[in-house]
Each structure stands twice: as C-alpha cells, then as structure tokens.
Amino acid sequence: MQYIFGRNYWNTLSVFFLLAFLIISPACSSRNRTEGFIHYRLNYNPTTLDPALIVDVTGGLIAAKLFNGLVRLDEKLNVIPDIAERWEIKGRGTEYLFFLKHNVKFLNNREVTAYDIKYSFKRILDPGGRSPNSWVLDKILGAREYMSGRVADVEGLEVKDRYTLKIKLVKPFSPFLNLLTMTAAYIVPEEEVKRWGADFASHPVGSGPFRLKEWRHNNRLTLEKNGDYFDGPAAIKGIVYRIIPEDLTAVSEFELGNLDVISIPSYEYSRYVRSPKWRSLVSSVEGLNTYYLGFNCARAPFNNIGLRKAVSSSIDRKKILDTFYEGRGRLAEGPVPDLLRRWYTHNPNRYDPSAAKKIIEKEVVDNRTVNFYITADQEVVDIAEVIQSYLKKAGLDVRIKQLEWSAYKAAINNGEADLFWISWWADYPDPENFLFPLFHSSNHGASGNRARYTNKEVDRLIEAGQRSVDLSERDSAYGVAENIISEESPWVFFWHKTDYTVRQPYVRNYRIYPIYSMDKGLEVSF
Amino acid sequence: MSSYIIKRVILLIPMLLGITMITFALTKALPGDPVYTMVGERSSLEIIEKVRREIGADKGIVRQYIEYVSLLAKGEMGRSYYTNRKVLDDIKSRFPKTLVLAAGAMFIAVPPGIGLGLLAALRKGAIADRIISTASMIFISVPVFWSGLLIMLFFSLSLKLLPPSGTGGPRYILLPSLTLALPALATIIRVTRVSVLDVVNMPFIRTARAKGIKKKSINTLHIMKNALIPVVTVIGLDFGSYLNGAVLTETIFGWDGIGRFMMEGIIKRDYPVIMGCIIVGTVIFVLINLLVDVIYHYVDPRVRLHGTDR
C-alpha cells in the first residue's frame, strides 16, 4: 500500500499497464479462422434448426445444408430431384407418386425411406405440435382433419413400399412441388426427434451435405462436411457462420480476412463496386422480393381506388431508388418479381405530382391526416421520411408511427395502419407466392394480405391459376390478376431489391442465390 | 455480520416476488405479440391460436403469472418461445462470459482510476490535474457505440493486433473490456478526486500532519482509506450494471453476453427470456450491493452491519 500510493504514481501505473500488456501480448493477432472452412457472416443467431419450427431466413439457410427434401431447386429455379429420384403426376394434378433414391442416408447412418417422408410431413401437421408451417402441407388430402385431431392419420399420405410414396391432394395445386422445396418439407429421422425431444432444435440430424459440429449461440455455428453425402461431398471441409450483428464489425472482419464472403451493407456498396481491388469480386442477384407501401383498403380514406392511384403517382419511386438505394434494384410494375413473370404487366401509376395533387384535393374532403406505420429500422425510417415529404407536397399530412417489429406486425395484421412499409420475400419461386397470400380475400391480416384487398375476380383468377396444370393457362390467369391488382393499386409497388455480396479473391465457384434454400454449399471451394 | 447477510439474502425473496410481478405486468402491457413473430409472415388464424395455446398465452394474466412463479419455485425458468431452449441453461452459459467481460473492464478501470484520481486531487490545479480531469470528462461524455467502433478500427483494422469480434480468450476480451472500462475509469477518477479533496481538508488530516506523520502514511492510511467509501460504491454500481450485460458493447464486438441475450428477448417479446434475465439481474445487483456493504465495513470500521443502525 505504501508503495502504491507513494510518490511514484506514474511508475506504478506504467508497471500496471506493462504487466497487462505482457499478459495479453502473446495472444495478439487479428486472425480468427479455421483453415479449410469457408467463413460466412450471419446477422442474427438462428432461432432454431428444427425444420418444423423454422420461419426465419437464417434458420432456413443453415437447414438447407443439413437436410434434404423430396425435391429441390436448381440454379434456374426449376424443381429437380433431391431424395426423390423421379415422380409422376396423375389424376389431373391431385396425385403425386414419388420414387425415392436408394442409399440416401441420415447422418446416423440409417437409410431414408418413404416412412420417414410420411413421418416428417405428419410431424408438421401434428395437432399437438407447435409447427407454424402447417400451411405448407395442408393441401394434402385429410391434412386438415388430422390437424384438427379428428382422425389419427393423413389420408393423402400413403407409403406404397419402402421407396415409393403417394401423395393425394384435396384439389389440384400447381405450385405443390415448389412447396416441397421449403424448409418445412425437409425429412427428419423419427428416432433422433424422439431422442432429443424439444432439444432437436439444437441437435439437428438430417441427410444433408453437412452436419452440425458446434453451435456456440450468438457467437459461431460450425458445419462439417458429410463425406458420405449421396450427391457427392462438398468441396470444402466445412462452413463457419460467424454471428456478427454490427455491419461495421463484419466489414472489419472481412477486410482482415476472417470472413470469406459478406453481404455488402448499403453504406459500403459504392466503395466496393468502385474499388479496383474488390469490384471484380462483387456478385449480385435480383432478389425474389417486392418492397411496397401498403394501403389499408378496408377503410377510408384508402378504400378509394382513385386516391390510392393518386398517392402512387405522387411519389417518384425511380428517384428514390436511384438516389437512396444507388440503383440497387428494379422498379416494380406489380407485385410479381420480373424473374418469375412470364407475361406483361404495366404499372399505370407513373409519377405525375400535379395530377395526383388535384385528385387528392378532390377526393379527400374531411381529414387529410393519415397514419403511416413503420419499423424502427434506420433504412426504413429514412425511406418513410422521403415518402412523407412527397405526400405532404401532394396535400396529405402523414404521421409516421414507428414501432418495434413484433408490435408493428401486430398493428398491421390487425389493420390499425392507413399506410405501412414492408417487403415480401418468396417462400418458393412461383408467381402464386406473390399473389395468393398477398391479395386473396381469404388471407386478410396475418396470412399475408395486410392491405386487406378484396376483389372477387382476382380471387377467382388466382384460384384458377392454382388449379390449372397447364402452364400457359396458369400464366394467363395470373397475368390478368396481376394487371387488375396493378390497376387497383392496393400497394404502391416500389422495387425488387438486388442483393450484393463481396468475396475474397481465393474463394472459387461462389454463387449468390435468390432463395436461401437453393444453396447446398456443394460447389464453393478455395 | 453473518446474521445481517442472512437477513439480506432472505429479504431477496419478497423483493424478487415484487420484481417478477411488476416485470410480468410491464412486459404484458407492452405493445406487440410474440406469436406474430413466431409464426412467420404467412399463417392462418388457426395456427396463431395453436401457437398461442402452446405457449400458454391464451390463459388469463393472473394464471400465467402464478404458473410462472410455480415454475420458478421448482428452480426452472421455462423455455424460450423461439429457440425452445431452456432459459436457465442459456443464462448459465452466458453469465460467465459477461462476468469475464465485466471483470476485465474493472481490471482496466479500477487501479488506474483510483491512482489517477488520487494524483489529480493531490496535485489539484497543477497541469497533471488539468490533463486528468479533462480526459476523464471526455471519456465520460463519449458514448460507447462510438468509442467501441474507434477502438476496433484502431486496434484491429489499423494495427491488426486483435480480432474485431468474437467471444473467447484474452485477445477477444481486451477490446470490449477496454470500451466498457473507459467510462468507468473516468467516473472512478472523478469520484476519487472529489472524495480525496473532501477528506484532505478534514481536521484529522491537519492533526496528522501536525503530529509529523509521514506524507506517504497520511496519503494511504488516512486519506485513501477514508475517501474510498464513495469510490467503492461507484465500482459496485458499475460492476453490477456490467454484470447485467452491456448491450451496445456486446453488439459491436459480437460478444455473447447477457446483454445481447436480453435485448433479443425484448425485441422479440420472448417473455420467458426477459423475465429470466431480469430475475438473475436483480439477484446479482442485490448481491453486489451486499458485497459493497461488507467492503464498507472493512474499509471504514465506523460502518456497522447490524441491519438496524443503517
């Protein structure tokens, strides 16, 4: 004590810091990676890896490496065999006969059979289970009766033999094969689910190209190559997902070589695409998404089509896209992304502020104040303020109400908002996924139609498209439906956002995919 | 003193009951519904009702509270709505990491903080005092999300000395600990300085000097010992709050601590996680305060821990 508080304060402090440095210095290095493994970044810790429970993209992205479905998507968004070797569609699209590959094995070395498919599908529909994904499989005959607990089995799931499964649908549903590419339709081994119980979410066992080696929650998740994968092993030893919530931290890790690929944060976009070092290493893909400003079509003032169109015409979407997003996307003509559209759709609401203002002045007599619900995300707040200023010029007083995500979702699902900003990302690559949940009148609120749009003709056309087994007939129904929707403008259709990633020069055969489930991690190498 | 400690620990039980009741009511009163986040972007009313039943959200709030308290009585904290993992296990795995970070920050902040505070006080008005006081004012004013990013850019990107993020050994601890330590260091300096200045002017110091006691002895035995009480209080408060997690620092440096865990719980309205974190946080805070009281007793024998005369 005497020495510490004696005259030599500076010496004491210097000794303290020197000691601290000596303790730490042997460990000094900015490197943090496992050789042979590719290092990616995740913004958030995946909530679960149980396919029955996954609703987030992060969980789906990892599950795609651990599990397989009957079918999967190729790089051109076609449905191709996965566990199934082939299939036959009969009964005007109501019967699917799947023939499974032999010798596809779970990681516990047991062969995948038709019984596993039936078990996995029934698990999603289980009346006592808590899967929020039952909508993926509820088109199967008898699924709803099983879900309600009235019957003990699903009538439409029939195991013909060890390698053959017959699935019967209640009625034809054209995107059914697409649905089977989703996480909820991944196949799980019953014995492992029973062994782990609720903890299967953290101990997933599938048949995929990777196995879960370690999951240090909120820190890192490591996948190791499955050397016996039926479709040929991956080219890398494994994948390390680093969980890094902060963008700047992720960029620092990338620049130090601790991450091999990162999704480019908006504020770093121009630096990477202009940098001679990085620009050839930037990849992009047109996202299967639509960003929109939704109207509450079920109540005044936006139950008025003319007013909705005027609001659409009062916002210069192209200018916002070019300046705010630096052109990282395509202007939307309607709800369906261009990549999925095989017909012509034209957005009739071109930017015309003076005409829009006149209509708004004529149509809105009593109250010119509308509420606009947004999330607390900074990018959304910035866009909302730009929209607010356009609408103010057009004569509408917009009050922005900023809510945290779950409160926001509850509010827009319950129809509290006049206007709301949100995006829709494809579950599967079919135009139906951008029409039925979002505009069919049976889906108001939490099911997807948050604009509460109702049009009997659109309902009929979407249903006709779902039923049709003929592609051109389906496209014609969807095309007419989309054009009616564009004309009636339940949303201001903003853009389809493009995703950008940047990789290290030594990463080879890297691809960026429009849907998370497409990336099995097999091709990428060093 | 042991009876005092036992009494304080027993008092924790009604305090925790009160805290659970208030927190439970507050979390339920928040706008938002976890079920909407749990079911994803597309779900029917039947699914929403099914999930609501599964997590027991369809029952009345009083019944939900009673069920939660009986779960606590069994030593459990339930499972997270989203991850389905046991909340207690998650807290147990994160607490040591938060403890290490908080201890690292205290290690960096306390000895130099007290030393520099004492130096500034003893050299009041001199150049050293001015430099130390200005620097401490700056460190108190700078928000951690800014200082954290600067520290990361400097030590990781420019000097390439330490990794920018991750949870692990000493090389991962240093940067987040340093970020957390800076405001604590500044507070300790300022409190020490003021406290020492108070004591220096007291009559017993004058008496000691008149008695011809050596300057070193006066500084350590007389001044520091008497000036330490407010410093110990500040250290206790800082340490207690760091043990409850440092959300911003943990987020910037990707540190898997209690702060990030609780923040995620709050954002997603994961009630079992929020409740679990608050209960553990309360217990920690009360225990740290108890520890501080005990330290008071040793630092200043005038403080008696009988429970009635305090």
Side-chain angles (χ1 to χ4, degrees):
Chain A
M1 286 290 275
Q2 291 242 332
Y3 173 74
I4 291 172
F5 295 116
R7 287 179 300 183
N8 301 323
Y9 306 108
W10 294 116
N11 291 354
T12 312
L13 284 174
S14 312
V15 167
F16 174 80
F17 282 117
L18 189 68
L19 274 175
F21 180 73
L22 284 177
I23 293 168
I24 287 149
S25 59
C28 277
S29 158
S30 59
R31 297 292 281 174
N32 177 10
R33 55 177 302 132
T34 315
E35 289 315 315
F37 283 64
I38 191 153
H39 291 66
Y40 293 125
R41 175 225 182 169
L42 297 177
N43 295 45
Y44 304 103
N45 195 40
T47 46
T48 171
L49 292 179
D50 181 345
L53 302 177
I54 292 172
V55 290
D56 58 330
V57 172
T58 310
L61 185 89
I62 295 160
K65 318 281 191 297
L66 301 171
F67 297 94
N68 295 93
L70 279 171
V71 290
R72 68 184 180 95
L73 297 166
D74 70 3
E75 61 270 21
K76 289 180 181 151
L77 300 171
N78 299 312
V79 176
I80 57 165
D82 200 5
I83 289 175
E85 189 168 39
R86 63 189 176 88
W87 57 87
E88 290 169 4
I89 304 173
K90 294 177 175 171
R92 292 193 55 80
T94 55
E95 277 181 34
Y96 289 72
L97 203 57
F98 289 96
F99 303 94
L100 309 194
K101 287 174 185 159
H102 293 219
N103 275 324
V104 175
K105 287 187 174 167
F106 287 119
L107 287 167
N108 63 7
N109 222 21
R110 186 174 69 70
E111 194 181 25
V112 180
T113 68
Y115 295 100
D116 294 307
I117 318 282
K118 180 165 179 174
Y119 167 75
S120 303
F121 287 7
K122 276 179 75 177
R123 186 168 172 253
I124 300 293
L125 303 168
D126 185 357
R130 54 181 289 195
S131 174
N133 299 318
S134 51
W135 64 270
V136 176
L137 298 169
D138 68 1
K139 282 95 192 153
I140 296 172
L141 183 67
R144 290 194 168 273
E145 290 77 5
Y146 179 70
M147 281 160 68
S148 66
R150 290 201 298 273
V151 292
D153 203 0
V154 182
E155 192 188 335
L157 285 174
E158 189 188 339
V159 177
K160 304 290 277 185
D161 62 49
R162 203 170 153 78
Y163 300 107
T164 317
L165 179 83
K166 187 171 162 184
I167 299 179
K168 270 193 196 169
L169 304 184
V170 179
K171 56 185 178 186
F173 185 74
S174 57
F176 183 65
L177 283 175
N178 268 298
L179 282 178
L180 296 185
T181 65
M182 290 185 61
T183 312
Y186 286 162
I187 310 309
V188 294
E190 183 175 2
E191 66 276 15
E192 297 291 339
V193 173
K194 289 198 168 139
R195 180 178 159 211
W196 290 105
D199 291 325
F200 185 72
S202 305
H203 298 89
V205 178
S207 55
F210 294 88
R211 72 179 75 227
L212 179 67
K213 188 181 172 201
E214 186 188 28
W215 185 2
R216 282 194 262 155
H217 292 280
N218 270 322
N219 185 5
R220 65 171 60 209
L221 191 145
T222 310
L223 305 183
E224 195 177 45
K225 171 164 80 173
N226 169 11
D228 300 323
Y229 185 54
F230 68 90
D231 211 11
I236 42 170
K237 281 189 193 167
I239 305 173
V240 174
Y241 290 100
R242 300 270 315 277
I243 296 140
I244 304 173
E246 177 61 40
D247 283 341
L248 188 73
T249 314
V251 170
S252 305
E253 292 280 16
F254 176 73
E255 305 248 334
L256 286 167
N258 293 334
L259 289 175
D260 298 317
V261 181
I262 54 164
S263 175
I264 303 179
S266 348
Y267 63 85
E268 292 282 1
Y269 169 74
S270 53
R271 182 167 75 86
Y272 279 115
V273 293
R274 284 185 194 132
S275 150
K277 183 181 172 191
W278 296 114
R279 68 181 167 217
S280 62
L281 300 164
V282 171
S283 309
S284 68
V285 70
E286 201 183 310
L288 291 181
N289 59 60
T290 305
Y291 281 71
Y292 65 93
L293 174 73
F295 296 105
N296 186 341
C297 304
R299 70 176 190 204
F302 294 120
N303 52 358
N304 176 337
I305 296 176
L307 184 63
R308 297 201 298 256
K309 287 169 73 70
V311 168
S312 296
S313 298
S314 65
I315 303 168
D316 192 350
R317 299 171 302 137
K318 183 159 178 14
K319 194 165 191 175
I320 305 176
L321 179 64
D322 288 345
T323 50
F324 192 82
Y325 263 13
E326 298 172 278
R328 289 173 293 134
R330 283 166 73 105
L331 273 190
E333 296 294 335
V336 180
D338 302 352
L339 220 56
L340 302 179
R341 187 189 290 124
R342 295 175 292 257
W343 57 85
Y344 176 75
T345 295
H346 170 68
N347 184 347
N349 307 314
R350 299 289 137 177
Y351 179 53
D352 188 352
S354 52
K357 191 173 181 179
K358 279 181 202 152
I359 296 171
I360 290 172
E361 274 170 4
K362 192 178 133 207
E363 298 286 346
V364 187
V365 187
D366 312 331
N367 186 4
R368 295 235 168 133
T369 305
V370 290
N371 64 47
F372 179 13
Y373 280 55
I374 56 166
T375 56
D377 184 83
Q378 191 53 47
E379 192 174 276
V380 175
V381 175
D382 294 344
I383 291 175
E385 284 172 359
V386 175
I387 292 172
Q388 185 185 36
S389 77
Y390 274 109
L391 295 188
K392 188 161 183 67
K393 279 186 223 157
L396 269 183
D397 190 11
V398 174
R399 285 204 189 142
I400 294 177
K401 196 159 182 184
Q402 196 180 332
L403 291 172
E404 162 289 311
W405 179 242
S406 76
Y408 170 77
K409 274 188 83 177
I412 60 168
N413 286 346
N414 297 333
E416 290 168 27
D418 292 321
L419 293 168
F420 55 94
W421 176 266
I422 200 167
S423 60
W424 180 264
W425 292 69
D427 299 305
Y428 46 88
D430 193 285
E432 189 266 353
N433 191 222
F434 283 82
L435 294 170
F436 176 74
L438 301 168
F439 300 104
H440 195 279
S441 59
S442 64
N443 289 327
H444 282 191
S447 303
N449 186 352
R450 296 181 172 96
R452 297 176 139 65
Y453 174 69
T454 308
N455 182 316
K456 289 270 182 296
E457 179 61 6
V458 168
D459 286 356
R460 190 191 65 76
L461 286 161
I462 294 172
E463 286 164 22
Q466 285 180 327
R467 274 197 311 271
S468 172
V469 284
D470 179 75
L471 187 66
S472 61
E473 203 177 288
R474 202 189 309 165
D475 284 352
S476 135
Y478 289 154
V480 177
E482 197 194 20
N483 275 289
I484 296 174
I485 293 165
S486 284
E487 183 59 38
E488 297 199 337
S489 312
W491 305 350
V492 181
F493 307 100
F494 269 77
W495 46 66
H496 311 293
K497 195 176 167 189
T498 305
D499 288 331
Y500 290 85
T501 57
V502 58
R503 65 183 182 279
Q504 301 286 359
Y506 49 78
V507 175
R508 291 158 60 196
N509 303 320
Y510 170 77
R511 274 187 72 109
I512 173 170
Y513 296 92
I515 290 192
Y516 58 88
S517 59
M518 292 167 71
D519 185 8
K520 287 274 175 199
L522 290 169
E523 296 88 13
V524 68
S525 63
F526 293 116
Chain B
M1 189 166 67
S2 56
S3 65
Y4 170 77
I5 294 174
I6 292 167
K7 206 169 165 184
R8 282 283 293 268
V9 172
I10 291 172
L11 270 176
L12 243 179
I13 297 167
M15 188 188 290
L16 276 179
L17 264 179
I19 297 248
T20 51
M21 209 178 282
I22 294 166
T23 318
F24 203 84
L26 283 178
T27 46
K28 296 286 172 180
L30 282 176
D33 186 341
V35 176
Y36 284 126
T37 316
M38 289 171 75
V39 297
E41 295 304 300
R42 183 174 172 181
S43 53
S44 61
L45 280 176
E46 297 95 69
I47 294 175
I48 289 172
E49 285 313 312
K50 188 172 110 178
V51 174
R52 192 163 272 144
R53 271 197 307 277
E54 275 291 316
I55 62 170
D58 57 331
K59 297 168 190 159
I61 184 164
V62 177
R63 181 142 172 233
Q64 285 183 50
Y65 177 71
I66 292 168
E67 281 180 8
Y68 185 75
V69 172
S70 40
L71 202 65
L72 278 183
K74 281 188 245 163
E76 290 175 36
M77 286 182 167
R79 284 179 181 262
S80 156
Y81 289 165
Y82 296 87
T83 63
N84 215 7
R85 288 194 302 272
K86 287 180 179 166
V87 172
L88 192 60
D89 289 352
D90 273 347
I91 291 178
K92 273 189 207 161
S93 76
R94 282 173 175 85
F95 184 69
K97 296 167 191 161
T98 297
L99 181 66
V100 164
L101 193 66
M106 287 296 122
F107 177 75
I108 297 171
V110 174
I114 294 176
L116 290 171
L118 180 62
L119 178 70
L122 295 178
R123 304 269 165 86
K124 192 188 167 200
I127 187 87
D129 177 31
R130 286 185 198 168
I131 293 172
I132 292 169
S133 298
T134 313
S136 65
M137 187 57 103
I138 292 170
F139 286 147
I140 279 187
S141 317
V142 171
V144 287
F145 60 81
W146 192 67
S147 61
L149 289 176
L150 285 188
I151 286 172
M152 183 206 293
L153 291 177
F154 182 68
F155 286 101
S156 298
L157 263 187
S158 304
L159 298 182
K160 296 193 177 12
L161 271 179
L162 295 160
S165 70
T167 314
R171 66 196 190 107
Y172 294 98
I173 297 166
L174 195 64
L175 296 188
S177 287
L178 182 64
T179 307
L180 269 186
L182 288 182
L185 171 73
T187 316
I188 294 169
I189 289 176
R190 294 182 66 77
V191 172
T192 309
R193 183 180 175 275
V194 171
S195 179
V196 168
L197 285 177
D198 276 352
V199 177
V200 163
N201 296 323
M202 284 189 172
F204 70 91
I205 299 293
R206 208 166 48 231
T207 314
R209 281 188 186 134
K211 279 158 73 180
I213 297 173
K214 280 184 185 166
K215 201 175 172 186
K216 265 189 209 168
S217 280
I218 294 176
N219 286 352
T220 54
L221 291 174
H222 295 82
I223 298 180
M224 248 353 263
K225 209 167 170 185
N226 284 288
L228 268 182
I229 292 260
V231 181
V232 170
T233 311
V234 166
I235 294 170
L237 282 175
D238 275 352
F239 193 54
S241 75
Y242 292 167
L243 285 182
N244 278 291
V247 179
L248 291 172
T249 311
E250 287 176 6
T251 305
I252 294 167
F253 293 98
W255 188 268
D256 177 24
I258 292 279
R260 244 172 92 193
F261 181 57
M262 180 156 81
M263 197 63 206
E264 266 183 36
I266 293 171
I267 288 171
K268 290 178 175 169
R269 301 287 188 273
D270 198 343
Y271 299 139
V273 170
I274 304 175
M275 294 296 296
C277 288
I278 289 178
I279 289 167
V280 171
T282 311
V283 173
I284 290 168
F285 225 93
V286 170
L287 292 182
I288 295 272
N289 273 331
L290 182 59
L291 184 69
V292 168
D293 283 353
V294 174
I295 294 173
Y296 282 165
H297 172 75
Y298 285 105
V299 171
D300 187 346
R302 285 173 300 179
V303 177
R304 299 268 169 254
L305 301 181
H306 295 311
T308 46
D309 57 349
R310 277 179 53 77

